[in-house]
Amino acid sequence: MNSLAVDRALTLSPAESAHALATIPEDQWFERKSGRVSPADAAKTLVAFANADGGTLLVGIHDGEVDGVSTARANDIRQAALDHTTPPVRTHVEELHLPDASGNLQTVLLVRVDPGDHVHTLTNGQCLLRIGGESRRLGAGQHQELMFDRGAAPYDSTAVSDLTVKDLDQSQLAAYTSLIGSSSIEAMLSARDLVTRRGDLRVAAALLFDERPQREFPSAFVRILRFGDTERGVGAGMTLEEDGDHRVEGSLPEQIRRASALMDRMMPKWRQLAQSGLFEPTHRIPKAAWLEGLVNAVTHRSYSMMGDHIRVEIFPNRLEIFSPGRFPGLADPRHPLQISRFARNPRIARVLSDMGVTRELGEGIKRMFEEMRRRGLSDPIYTQTPGGVRLTLLATDAVPAEVLARLTPSSRGVLDALRLIGAPAGTGQLADATGITRMTATRALNALAAEGLVTWQGTSKRDPRATWSLT
């Protein structure tokens, strides 16, 4: 979300702006280079940004200090996309004048990179992709997969010629314009590449800011279904509950807000003893996990597939979220934790990131796995169908039922405590957390170790710093 931090930094005084730009962490959308960087090296970042979601390259700040760009080097950097990338990456260069450590004004270049409509390479044939804070060189196979995935311009860049800015929700436009510190709605749309060079709105702008984009994109909605049994059933045996079918429309940020509120009410819950000392409703599937699944579906679905929509199906024992559009070739659903950054809708992803709705794709999936594991539930399951991707979150314990049956209540309590702590813990800490004696906790931990559920780390049996962790 540091593209938003960059925009905010530019509204400050020169000295404050220099400090802010020098300290913003580099990420998916932002990187700094010294004023001495060669145009060829700068071009690597330009290509990586263009092949992902776009981004901002700042040239003239190094190791937290403004070092500036010479006039000759500045001209070379301006030409870097033309001289060193194929096809030329689209860039917009701003010249800043910021004070160095001695107070002398230096020239700093702010290079904004648009998401590419096709795959870009360096003139020597190297292909790079921005993944987190790294511009990663792709191998020949990965390059080929990226070309297949980006064979045509991303659909969210397509122009919508019969829609104007006046047709969009002015309050949503104004709120986002203020959020990124832009001088006007028109400037904001240009800064986020939401309009074409001819001034036509792109699909991304309509989906993000139209009060009801379903007029132009009838399948761009979320349908939430709740079933009373673990199977859907058919005909007279259909298990869909009364008032268990909801269609959520509106702009994408509004869809996420409304759908999450509905899911919060409809998801299966237990009444469990909370930290307040009272029994309170608790989601059987952690909210952080299912919310991440919803956000990913809305952000990364294929909006060009007009005949299908996002479906959220809630069962007593699981949640299924179906998203139209298969995983790109760079992503393997069999290994979701290894999925590289690839946004099908780069403009949509960037704006939702600015809004704080989503972060980086890989990070979100990791967080989903962590939340499920911390609760002791089975890992999320991704399956790919001919038309899309289905995420399944099970409300079942990751430990096999036959193993659970062999565990004493104390052992199960210690296992739950270790999951909730989310880090290695000592025997005494676990005894306190579960309200049992240290001796009982020791027996429970030994039983868990015998089942292969926990491991002990220490230098000796009397090591006071010894800890237990989940296997």
Side-chain angles (χ1 to χ4, degrees):
M1 204 170 75
N2 287 331
S3 57
L4 176 58
V6 171
D7 291 323
R8 288 174 172 169
L10 297 179
T11 66
L12 304 174
S13 68
E16 293 172 326
S17 181
H19 174 73
L21 292 172
T23 55
I24 295 170
E26 296 179 341
D27 69 354
Q28 180 72 29
W29 297 276
F30 180 63
E31 182 167 319
R32 276 182 298 268
K33 294 288 187 183
S34 165
R36 300 183 300 276
V37 67
S38 71
D41 282 341
K44 295 178 181 179
T45 303
L46 303 184
V47 166
F49 278 147
N51 285 336
D53 310 340
T56 301
L57 171 63
L58 190 69
V59 181
I61 295 182
H62 180 62
D63 282 346
E65 299 290 344
V66 174
D67 62 357
V69 186
S70 68
T71 301
R73 184 59 54 90
N75 289 334
D76 290 341
I77 296 296
R78 289 176 183 274
Q79 299 297 318
L82 291 173
D83 296 339
H84 299 282
T85 72
T86 304
V89 171
R90 292 199 314 258
T91 62
H92 313 271
V93 182
E94 302 175 40
E95 191 170 290
L96 310 177
H97 298 284
L98 304 177
D100 59 18
S102 301
N104 299 315
L105 290 181
Q106 301 287 347
T107 297
V108 174
L109 296 183
L110 192 74
V111 186
R112 298 187 186 272
V113 182
D114 294 338
D117 291 339
H118 302 283
V119 174
H120 295 267
T121 66
L122 299 175
T123 50
N124 64 7
Q126 286 184 19
C127 184
L128 297 99
L129 181 67
R130 190 71 176 182
I131 300 175
E134 177 186 357
S135 296
R136 187 174 300 175
R137 181 178 175 181
L138 301 183
Q142 293 172 313
H143 182 185
Q144 188 66 51
E145 290 288 359
L146 184 60
M147 291 181 68
F148 289 149
D149 296 330
R150 191 63 69 80
Y155 182 70
D156 73 345
S157 72
T158 306
V160 186
S161 57
D162 58 346
L163 199 67
T164 69
V165 175
K166 293 182 180 179
D167 297 320
L168 302 182
D169 187 317
Q170 299 302 304
S171 62
Q172 292 189 56
L173 286 170
Y176 181 65
T177 299
S178 176
L179 177 68
I180 70 171
S182 196
S183 59
S184 66
I185 289 174
E186 289 72 20
M188 174 274 290
L189 292 171
S190 177
R192 288 297 180 265
D193 197 31
L194 298 175
V195 290
T196 68
R197 294 186 179 187
R198 297 178 55 185
D200 293 330
L201 291 173
R202 298 189 190 272
V203 166
L207 290 170
L208 287 163
F209 297 112
D210 193 347
E211 184 177 12
R212 189 171 178 272
Q214 289 72 33
R215 287 177 289 236
E216 288 77 28
F217 310 98
S219 297
F221 66 91
V222 177
R223 188 180 182 190
I224 303 176
L225 305 162
R226 185 169 68 181
F227 297 88
D229 200 351
T230 56
E231 299 298 329
R232 298 173 183 84
V234 294
M238 174 72 73
T239 63
L240 184 66
E241 293 186 349
E242 186 175 358
D243 193 34
D245 187 351
H246 297 267
R247 176 178 169 134
V248 182
E249 297 186 342
S251 67
L252 300 191
E254 281 296 298
Q255 283 186 45
I256 292 171
R257 184 185 66 82
R258 295 171 187 169
S260 63
L262 270 172
M263 291 174 67
D264 196 48
R265 176 171 60 83
M266 298 171 68
M267 288 290 290
K269 301 178 180 67
W270 285 316
R271 293 196 68 83
Q272 292 184 330
L273 188 63
Q275 292 182 348
S276 63
L278 303 175
F279 282 90
E280 299 176 357
T282 303
H283 287 287
R284 297 186 66 183
I285 298 171
K287 181 175 181 178
W290 59 253
L291 181 58
E292 189 64 43
L294 170 67
V295 169
N296 277 351
V298 173
T299 304
H300 302 293
R301 67 150 287 182
S302 173
Y303 286 98
S304 62
M305 298 180 68
M306 295 294 188
D308 211 348
H309 54 270
I310 294 170
R311 288 189 298 282
V312 176
E313 297 177 303
I314 302 171
F315 298 87
N317 66 336
R318 70 187 187 280
L319 169 74
E320 295 185 11
I321 301 177
F322 173 81
S323 178
R326 291 167 60 86
F327 272 119
L330 286 170
D332 185 348
R334 296 171 301 176
H335 307 288
L337 287 173
Q338 299 175 19
I339 289 178
S340 299
R341 172 73 191 189
F342 183 91
R344 175 179 278 114
N345 308 301
R347 293 160 183 82
I348 290 172
R350 189 171 184 184
V351 170
L352 291 179
S353 176
D354 285 344
M355 292 179 176
V357 175
T358 183
R359 297 185 184 178
E360 297 176 17
L361 177 61
E363 179 186 345
I365 291 177
K366 289 184 179 69
R367 188 164 56 249
M368 191 189 310
F369 271 75
E370 288 172 0
E371 289 294 331
M372 294 293 284
R373 290 173 178 178
R374 194 167 70 90
R375 188 72 69 83
L377 302 176
S378 299
D379 281 347
I381 302 170
Y382 282 95
T383 52
Q384 193 153 232
T385 72
V389 172
R390 176 173 285 105
L391 167 66
T392 302
L393 300 178
L394 298 168
T396 55
D397 201 294
V399 178
E402 61 271 19
V403 176
L404 282 176
R406 292 196 293 268
L407 297 179
T408 64
S410 295
S411 293
R412 275 180 258 172
V414 169
L415 183 61
D416 288 341
L418 197 53
R419 287 166 171 169
L420 290 172
I421 291 171
T427 304
Q429 183 182 358
L430 292 168
D432 292 341
T434 51
I436 58 179
T437 66
R438 186 183 181 93
M439 185 176 294
T440 301
T442 299
R443 287 197 297 266
L445 285 162
N446 287 332
L448 293 172
E451 297 287 355
L453 300 176
V454 301
T455 55
W456 179 85
Q457 299 89 29
T459 59
S460 69
K461 291 183 178 181
R462 295 182 179 276
D463 183 359
R465 299 186 184 87
T467 58
W468 297 85
S469 59
L470 297 172
T471 302

